[in-house]
Amino acid sequence: MKKIFLTLSFLSSLGIFAQKNLIQNGGFEYDATSWNNENLLTISPYSKHSGQKGGSITQYTSPTWKGIDQSFSIPKNTSALEVSAWVKADGIEKGKSDWNKAVIIAEIAGKGKNVVALDGTTAWQEVKKNHSHQ
């Protein structure tokens, strides 16, 4: 049986350089509020990087993709974004396809860009990626 388990202090900083955080409830302090597909999340006060809670997605062998997301508007005249998150993985087995991993993707103006793709078991790590908006 293949197990996928990704624990997130998710997108704790998707923000505009030197401006505000665009992601709401990035640390899951308000459970799954502001997240789409919130029924896929397990919120825990035990598996967290910082703050009071963390969110995780657990999946066993399945042909379907599972994920959570948020949509937001990028303020006018924004030239770049920094996407960052604290993540760890627990026993993620790489599948047949390269996308069969735990991933964080920033989709900006209809174009998806990988922030991180994890498999195996990892300690907490901060991942960051800068994205040009224009």
Side-chain angles (χ1 to χ4, degrees):
M1 186 181 316
K2 204 183 291 187
K3 179 175 92 166
I4 296 176
F5 183 70
L6 176 66
T7 304
L8 317 159
S9 277
F10 203 62
L11 297 180
S12 48
S13 169
L14 173 54
I16 303 162
F17 297 130
Q19 292 191 22
K20 72 176 190 166
N21 185 355
L22 297 175
I23 295 293
Q24 296 179 20
N25 190 26
F28 303 108
E29 300 303 317
Y30 304 104
D31 298 322
T33 301
S34 301
W35 290 97
N36 298 319
N37 298 321
E38 69 278 359
N39 59 320
L40 300 176
L41 273 173
T42 300
I43 305 297
S44 171
Y46 305 109
S47 184
K48 61 186 188 223
H49 177 263
S50 60
Q52 297 176 10
K53 298 177 183 179
S56 63
I57 298 172
T58 303
Q59 179 171 332
Y60 295 91
T61 303
S62 171
T64 60
W65 178 85
K66 290 185 180 182
I68 59 171
D69 65 86
Q70 281 191 30
S71 296
F72 53 88
S73 297
I74 298 172
K76 191 174 182 178
N77 298 324
T78 300
S79 60
L81 300 170
E82 179 181 87
V83 179
S84 69
W86 282 95
V87 296
K88 75 173 185 170
D90 182 15
I92 298 173
E93 296 180 23
K94 185 180 177 330
K96 293 177 186 176
S97 301
D98 195 43
W99 52 266
N100 292 140
K101 297 181 179 182
V103 297
I104 296 175
I105 299 170
E107 186 173 317
I108 301 170
K111 296 179 183 175
K113 298 181 182 184
N114 272 8
V115 176
V116 69
L118 298 174
D119 58 18
T121 299
T122 68
W124 281 106
Q125 58 186 296
E126 184 179 25
V127 294
K128 289 184 180 184
K129 191 155 248 182
N130 292 326
H131 295 280
S132 173
H133 174 57
Q134 299 173 337

